[in-house]
Structures are given as structure tokens and as C-alpha cells.
Amino acid sequence: MFSIGELFDWLTDAENWTGRYGLANLFVEHLTLTLVSLAIAGLLAIPIGVAIGQSGRGETLVIAISSASRAIPTMGLMFALVMFMGVEFRQFAVVLALVGIAIPPVLAGAYAGIKSIPIVIREGARAQGMTTLQQIRHVGLPLSASSIAGGFKIAYLQVVSTVVLAPLVGLGGLGFGVIQGLALRDFAQLTGSAVVIVLLSITGERLLAKAQGKLDRRLTQSKINR
Amino acid sequence: MEWAAKNFDFVLELSVTHLLISLVPLVLGSVLAFALVRLTPLKLAGTIGTTFSAIYAIPSLAVFVALPAVIGTSYLGPTNVVIALSIYVAAAMFFSIRDAFSQVSKPTVFIARAQGLSPLQLFVHVELPLAIPGLIAGLRVAAASTVSMASIGAIVGVRNLGYLFLDGFQRKIPEEILTGLFAIFIIGIALDLGLWALGKVLTPWTRRSAQRV
Amino acid sequence: MIEFIDVTKTYGEDSAVCDFSLIAPSGKITVLMGLSGSGKTTLLRAVNKLVQPTAGSVLIDGNDIADLDSVVLRRSIGYVMQEVGLLPHKSVLDNVTLIANIAGQTKDEALNNALELLELVGIDDSFHNRFPGQLSGGQQQRVGVARALAIKPNILLMDEPFGSVDPIVREELQDELIRIQRQLSLTIILVTHDRYEAIKLADQLVVLSKGAKIEQAGAPKDLIEKPANKFVQKLLGL
Ligand SMILES: Nc1ncnc2c1ncn2[C@@H]1O[C@H](COP(=O)(O)OP(=O)(O)O)[C@@H](O)[C@H]1O
Ligand SMILES: [Mg+2]
């Protein structure tokens, strides 16, 4: 067994933060992989989710994607893609897997956001003579922003936790210290890396939850009187 | 699928382990969540909720390897994984159970209480049955993610279907990885259908034919 | 002038509106009255193309609206509904200026126009920066009327506009509507199931039964004095 003191020493040792496999570098790698995947997923899933919610066409697709995606293990998806695309393209394969993991929750968030807008508000916008794009810009997007943020929150958690496994297919990220620590029985490295992972995931979750709450308050203001 | 056929017994053995290592946390976690929802005073509910959503945010591998440091279990082996998954299930089910019960129609409960049902009778005959759709919906989500997450346990030495990913990748056998994906998908879908059917059986009044009468 | 010619709308087997013909004269208030489900909303929505008639046509000042672009058409017609449907994330003022800005009014023009309209409907300056959720139901509906007028329409369609406000406020709103209608000489089609409101507001009162069948149409006075049948008598509470 090792003690909290050892953990503290490991985390405060500058040597463990610097270099190719130092925590700083791994942290940046982890965050970059996560944010790039989320951004790509957002660019794809938000327009599609909004379009489906707005038109009411393709709703079964959203439901099918979100329930099927839950049954697919993220770990297996990542391994399979790297295997099939070849180890030399692993960076690309991992991002593809992460995008695939992030799309369902963001898609569901965008779709549910549009669907949750009271029908009278959407009708009101249409009746005033807004074009479809204007309806999306002035009504659909602002009023589903909170739900979209909620989708990103779920996507973030799943992506961050899948990136932890990236070292197993030869990439970096904070999982490196965990995998190496397990192999070398270096419990200080193992636990120290886990602590940084925990901080990254909880901080991100809190930030996104805050954003979600803030955006949601705009909607609930309308409910004070009715 | 030559590989799968040749290794059928092995895959079956891994599947059984996988199923067990998913089911046990599902039961333990749900019971724990239920106890917390029903037994903790309202004041604590917020704190528990915040704690659970934080725990839920932690990547599973980090929990698997952090647990030994916290509670002194062995780094490798199923104990960690079962405990960690149970906590995840509890975290997810805490919210579903709370919402399922809070969505039970207040007038219905109120009238039943006015008719003189004891708290226990009220729970058994009114609250629990009416909360079933919400409980089942929550369990379906928890089951799917637990089955998927359990595969990560292979990294800390649990011999379940996740092992096929690690082994298949190392030995460059794509079919092995695909077999793992497929088997986990099937287990997930089977559990989902089972829970869905259970929900239907337990709530005959929600069936379409019943509504028309 | 709004002219319905043999308008029919069916949903599956059911006819919401069946062979409906009527003229709503310019500068007058036409009130449609009937039981719930008689097709009133469907008729209103046929005028701004929120509903596509199965058969028949609607003409505005002689032009078939089928030939008009729906966005352009809707920007020439104000629409007010019971639930108001203001944008919850925009201030009162922004709710009124938004569509005017979109429709191409300059910022100043839209703002001045909105200020004028909010005064016209009796919303005090101190409310301009509030969110709709911070207003009473009656105030929200006043803003709804101002919003409908922001694009300077000649036509106003009102679907049970005062259905969810208290009786006292409702009377106030009715008085103001009459005043605004005179001032802007609007052509209004208004749906209500409140017979007092119908009699008070209508230049032309149209009593409808299922399928938007016209039981009787004319000046309220005539309907009261000579109800065509039992149904009209009952609906008007005679
Ligand atoms: N989108 C729709 N789909 C199917 N039926 C509809 C739809 N809209 C209206 N109806 C039916 O058409 C009839 C008339 O509806 P409506 O015009 O809303 O009546 P009113 O406004 O007088 O209450 C009702 O029977 C209603 O159920
Ligand atoms: Mg109606």
C-alpha cells in the first residue's frame, strides 16, 4: 500500500509534470483530443438535430441512434476503428471513434431542445412571417441552447473517459500514467494520474452544468406567470 | 465469423462473467440508490445529488484504480470493478428513482392517504406501481451503460468480454474485437428488452387496449 | 377585404371546415363564434397559410393567397392567439421590434414604431425591459397585440385573444381593441366563444356549428332580434 503522503509527493514533484510523458503534456493532449472531437460532433449533430426537431421528420432516427449507441461499448468502438484503419492512422481513428461517441448525446440534446419549445412560441414565430432559418436563429437555437449544453455535458463525460483508454492504442493523454502505473505497479503514478483525470472531468462537468443552468434560466423566466 | 465459432466456449464463458459483473452492480446500486432516496432527510438530498453527479462524471478507469487507494481493495480483480460499477448505478438511479416517485400524481396519493392507507400500504399499492414506468426507464439506461462500462474492467484484470478488445488488439485479430463488440451489444439489447417486457407486465394499465375501456 | 370561397379542410376522414364562404369587409371586425371544435381556428389559419385548405380559396383584396409567398403574406397580417407565444428570452421591447427588424425596417423606425405601439396598447415604459414571464397575463396579451401590429398590417387575426385574462381586464382590452381598430382602420377577424365579447366587438357576427357551417351571419343586433334557429338562440344565450 502507499500513503496519501506518497501521492502528494508524486503530484508535487516537478519532474512528473514535465517532458513528453509529463502530466502537463498529457493533460494538453487529453483536452485537445476531447475538445476537437466535441467540436466536430457539434458541427455535425447540432444542425441535424435542429433540422429534425424543426421539421418533425426523421425522429425515429434520433431515438434509434441514441438507444443503439448506449449498447455499444466505447472501448470496443475505439479499438475496432484503430484496428481497421491501421495503427498508422490511429490518431484519426481515435478522433473518429470519439466523434461517434459524442454525436448521439449532442444530437439528442439539440432535437429535444427544439421539441421542448412550446408549440405556441414556434407557431407565433411562423405566423409573424419568419422564414425557417429566421425561426431557427431567433427562436429554435436560443431556446434549445440549454438542452444542447446538456447534450455536450454528457458527450464530454463520455469522451473524456474514453480518451483515458487512448494509451492502449498507442496515443497519449492522462490515461498514460494509469496504464503504465498498472503495468509497473507504480501506485503513486497510477493514483496521481487518476487524481488529475478526476479533476479534469469534474471541472468540465461543473462548467457545462453551469452553462446549462444559466441558459435554462432564460426559459424559466417565462414560467413565472403561466 | 470463423474466430467466434472456434472460440465459442471461451466467448460464452466471458459473456457469463460479463453478465454477472453487470447484473450484480445493477442490483446493488439500485438498492443503495433506493435506500438513499427514501431514507435520507430532504436536507441531505441536495448534497447527495451533487456528490453523485460528481462521481458520475469520473471516468471509470480512474475509479477502478482510485478505489484501492480509498478503501484498500486489491488493484486487480473483480471486487473493485463491482464496487465501482455499483456506485455508478447508484449515482444514475438516485436521480431516476427520485424523479420516478416525484412524478406520481399528487392528487392520487393525497386521496389514497385520505382514504386511510398506512404509509406502507400507500407505498405498496399506490406510489410504487405508479412509479414503475420511470423506474424501468432509469434501469434501462443504467443497464446499457453498465454493460458497456464493464468491459473497461478487463484493463484491471477482470476476464469479461472487454478482454477480447485487449487481446484482439495485441494479437491483431479484428474478428476477436468484433466478437466482443457484438456480444456486448447483444447482452445490452437483451437486458434492455427484458426490462422493457418487465415494465409492460408490471403496468398492464398503460397498455393501449386497457386505455380504451 | 378577406373573401373565403368554398373553403374546405379535412383531416383524414373528418372535415374541420366544410364549404365555407364568407366576406370579411375591410375596416370592420368580423367575429366568429361557435363551440369548441367547430373549425374557427382552422379558418383563421387558412388566412395566413398556417393551414393549407383542401379545397376552395381565400382572397385578400381580390388576390388569391395561394399565389402569394407565405412569408410575405404573413408579414402583412397580424396574428394574435390566446397563449400569446411571446419569446421568453427577449425583452418586451425586443419582442415587438424583432419581426420589424427582420422584415427590413431600419432600427430607428422599428424602435420608434414599437414605442408608439406599446403606448397604444397601454404598456408603461417601465415594462419595456422586462421579460414576458415577468408580466401578468393581460399585459402579455397587450404586448402580443403590439407585436402583431409591429409590421403595420391592415389585417389582424385574433384567436380567442382574451380567453385567459380576468373578466375586468378583458373588458379593458376589448375597449382598447375597438379604439385601436378605429384608429388604424384594421380589418379584423376575431374568434371567441364569449357571447358578450362577440356582441360587443362584432360589426359582423358569424355563428358557426360543426364543420364551420354558418348558422347565421349579420349584425349582432339582427342576430339577437331574429335568431335563425335554436342553435343561434342558445349560443347567444337568448
Ligand atoms: N392538425 C390537425 N390534425 C387533425 N385534426 C385537426 C387538426 N387541427 C384541427 N383539427 C380538428 O379540426 C376540428 C376543428 O378544429 P379547430 O379549427 O381548432 O376548432 P376550434 O378552433 O373551433 O375549436 C376539430 O375537430 C379538430 O380536432
Ligand atoms: Mg380554436
Side-chain angles (χ1 to χ4, degrees):
Chain A
M1 261 339 279
F2 81 107
S3 64
I4 291 288
E6 277 175 70
L7 172 63
F8 184 79
D9 288 344
W10 190 86
L11 277 172
T12 49
D13 186 346
E15 203 171 300
N16 295 325
W17 286 85
T18 51
R20 167 66 188 93
Y21 294 108
L23 284 174
N25 197 28
L26 295 174
F27 182 89
V28 171
E29 274 179 345
H30 205 114
L31 198 58
T32 309
L33 268 178
T34 304
L35 294 183
V36 166
S37 312
L38 286 180
I40 297 173
L43 286 177
L44 292 171
I46 294 175
I48 296 175
V50 167
I52 292 177
Q54 188 82 25
S55 68
R57 262 172 286 175
E59 302 186 328
T60 42
L61 184 76
V62 178
I63 296 163
I65 287 180
S66 66
S67 49
S69 69
R70 260 189 264 125
I72 297 174
T74 57
M75 176 183 174
L77 182 65
M78 187 168 81
F79 277 59
L81 279 175
V82 174
M83 178 109 266
F84 281 104
M85 293 174 64
V87 190
E88 61 271 35
F89 297 114
R90 62 188 166 218
Q91 198 127 17
F92 190 64
V94 167
V95 170
L96 194 64
L98 297 174
V99 169
I101 290 163
I103 281 179
V106 178
L107 181 72
Y111 166 76
I114 297 282
K115 284 311 252 192
S116 70
I117 299 173
I119 199 87
V120 286
I121 290 179
R122 296 169 59 187
E123 286 275 283
R126 206 150 74 91
Q128 285 179 76
M130 289 193 200
T131 62
T132 306
L133 280 180
Q134 287 162 347
Q135 289 169 46
I136 290 171
R137 160 145 160 47
H138 295 288
V139 182
L141 279 179
L143 293 182
S144 53
S146 152
S147 176
I148 293 174
F152 269 114
K153 188 179 76 180
I154 298 171
Y156 172 84
L157 294 181
Q158 282 173 358
V159 170
V160 162
S161 88
T162 307
V163 175
V164 173
L165 311 176
L168 291 169
V169 294
L171 290 189
L174 289 165
F176 179 83
V178 174
I179 307 292
Q180 194 180 58
L182 269 176
L184 305 177
R185 311 247 140 195
D186 182 344
F187 298 129
Q189 181 188 22
L190 173 70
T191 317
S193 304
V195 166
V196 182
I197 293 172
V198 169
L199 288 179
L200 173 66
S201 49
I202 292 185
T203 311
E205 194 266 354
R206 282 290 92 200
L207 285 177
L208 283 163
K210 252 208 182 107
Q212 186 186 4
K214 212 169 215 168
L215 292 165
D216 195 38
R217 227 161 295 137
R218 306 198 299 189
L219 247 186
T220 45
Q221 265 165 344
S222 68
K223 288 174 190 147
I224 295 169
N225 278 304
R226 30 182 62 235
Chain B
M1 290 263 78
E2 212 177 307
W3 188 91
K6 230 190 272 172
N7 297 280
F8 186 77
D9 287 345
F10 181 50
V11 173
L12 195 64
E13 184 194 316
L14 295 179
S15 301
V16 171
T17 310
H18 201 105
L19 188 63
L20 280 179
I21 222 139
S22 309
L23 281 180
V24 173
L26 271 172
V27 174
L28 289 181
S30 300
V31 170
L32 174 64
F34 181 77
L36 283 172
V37 169
R38 297 299 293 194
L39 302 178
T40 48
L42 220 57
K43 260 201 220 150
L44 278 179
T47 319
I48 295 177
T50 318
T51 312
F52 270 150
S53 50
I55 290 175
Y56 201 71
I58 303 174
S60 37
L61 185 59
V63 179
F64 295 163
V65 301
L67 267 182
V70 180
I71 56 175
T73 45
S74 153
Y75 275 91
L76 299 178
T79 318
N80 265 329
V81 175
V82 167
I83 294 175
L85 290 178
S86 303
I87 297 175
Y88 275 117
V89 171
M93 287 307 290
F94 178 79
F95 297 104
S96 334
I97 292 174
R98 195 186 61 185
D99 295 347
F101 279 100
S102 71
Q103 272 159 18
V104 173
S105 143
K106 292 284 168 296
T108 311
V109 174
F110 190 73
I111 287 172
R113 192 180 294 141
Q115 284 176 326
L117 269 70
S118 72
L120 183 66
Q121 290 168 328
L122 193 67
F123 177 75
V124 173
H125 296 293
V126 182
E127 291 180 281
L128 186 58
L130 291 180
I132 284 174
L135 295 176
I136 293 286
L139 269 176
R140 288 174 70 181
V141 174
S145 53
T146 304
V147 169
S148 155
M149 218 184 269
S151 39
I152 295 171
I155 299 170
V156 292
V158 176
R159 281 266 182 148
N160 63 19
L161 289 165
Y163 176 79
L164 298 179
F165 301 148
L166 294 173
D167 191 59
F169 192 77
Q170 229 146 46
R171 294 166 50 198
K172 302 209 169 16
I173 310 175
E175 283 145 305
E176 189 173 350
I177 296 180
L178 286 186
T179 304
L181 270 174
F182 186 71
I184 292 174
F185 188 77
I186 293 297
I187 291 180
I189 296 291
L191 270 182
D192 192 59
L193 283 179
L195 284 167
W196 172 80
L198 181 68
K200 286 287 150 205
V201 170
L202 292 177
T203 59
W205 60 89
T206 60
R207 266 174 243 156
R208 199 175 286 253
S209 56
Q211 278 171 344
R212 223 173 277 152
V213 177
Chain C
M1 183 176 78
I2 305 167
E3 202 171 344
F4 296 86
I5 303 172
D6 296 332
V7 174
T8 296
K9 178 69 188 177
T10 54
Y11 291 107
E13 301 281 281
D14 303 327
S15 299
V17 168
C18 192
D19 253 342
F20 179 86
S21 296
L22 182 81
I23 290 178
S26 293
K28 299 270 188 259
I29 301 182
T30 297
V31 172
L32 306 180
M33 196 185 163
L35 300 175
S36 179
S38 53
K40 309 179 294 291
T41 296
T42 306
L43 281 175
L44 272 197
R45 294 158 65 96
V47 178
N48 61 2
K49 282 193 162 179
L50 286 174
V51 162
Q52 214 62 49
T54 316
S57 44
V58 178
L59 312 187
I60 292 180
D61 297 331
N63 302 313
D64 191 336
I65 62 165
D67 305 331
L68 300 174
D69 178 67
S70 55
V71 166
V72 175
L73 174 75
R74 287 172 195 156
R75 286 184 189 169
S76 65
I77 300 175
Y79 188 61
V80 177
M81 43 193 170
Q82 180 175 345
E83 305 88 344
V84 196
L86 296 173
L87 298 179
H89 60 298
K90 295 213 182 285
S91 70
V92 164
L93 196 57
D94 288 346
N95 260 287
V96 181
T97 53
L98 177 63
I99 189 65
N101 282 324
I102 286 176
Q105 291 181 25
T106 65
K107 274 221 147 53
D108 281 348
E109 187 186 357
L111 181 65
N112 290 332
N113 189 27
L115 292 174
E116 231 168 79
L117 285 169
L118 284 168
E119 194 184 331
L120 184 71
V121 299
I123 290 289
D124 191 80
D125 293 2
S126 61
F127 290 95
H128 288 185
N129 290 319
R130 293 208 193 175
F131 289 104
Q134 300 164 323
L135 304 182
S136 72
Q139 286 168 328
Q140 290 188 18
Q141 196 51 283
R142 289 169 197 266
V143 178
V145 173
R147 176 181 70 171
L149 296 173
I151 39 167
K152 305 177 179 167
N154 303 318
I155 297 172
L156 199 52
L157 306 173
M158 309 182 84
D159 196 350
E160 307 192 27
F162 311 136
S164 57
V165 293
D166 323 325
I168 297 176
V169 179
R170 190 182 311 166
E171 290 221 13
E172 261 175 55
L173 287 170
Q174 289 162 355
D175 292 335
E176 283 171 28
L177 180 65
I178 293 174
R179 182 172 56 80
I180 292 168
Q181 188 266 337
R182 297 279 141 78
Q183 193 173 330
L184 305 177
S185 68
L186 296 168
T187 307
I188 295 181
I189 304 181
L190 181 145
V191 166
T192 183
H193 52 233
D194 174 344
R195 59 173 180 262
Y196 298 108
E197 182 166 284
I199 292 164
K200 177 171 173 182
L201 295 177
D203 295 308
Q204 172 179 233
L205 178 54
V206 184
V207 173
L208 302 173
S209 57
K210 184 112 196 64
K213 175 167 181 282
I214 299 181
E215 294 293 338
Q216 194 174 5
K221 189 167 66 75
D222 298 341
L223 268 68
I224 293 169
E225 280 168 8
K226 290 195 207 76
N229 54 38
K230 278 255 158 55
F231 183 83
V232 176
Q233 213 168 18
K234 215 165 162 189
L235 210 65
L236 292 179
L238 303 171

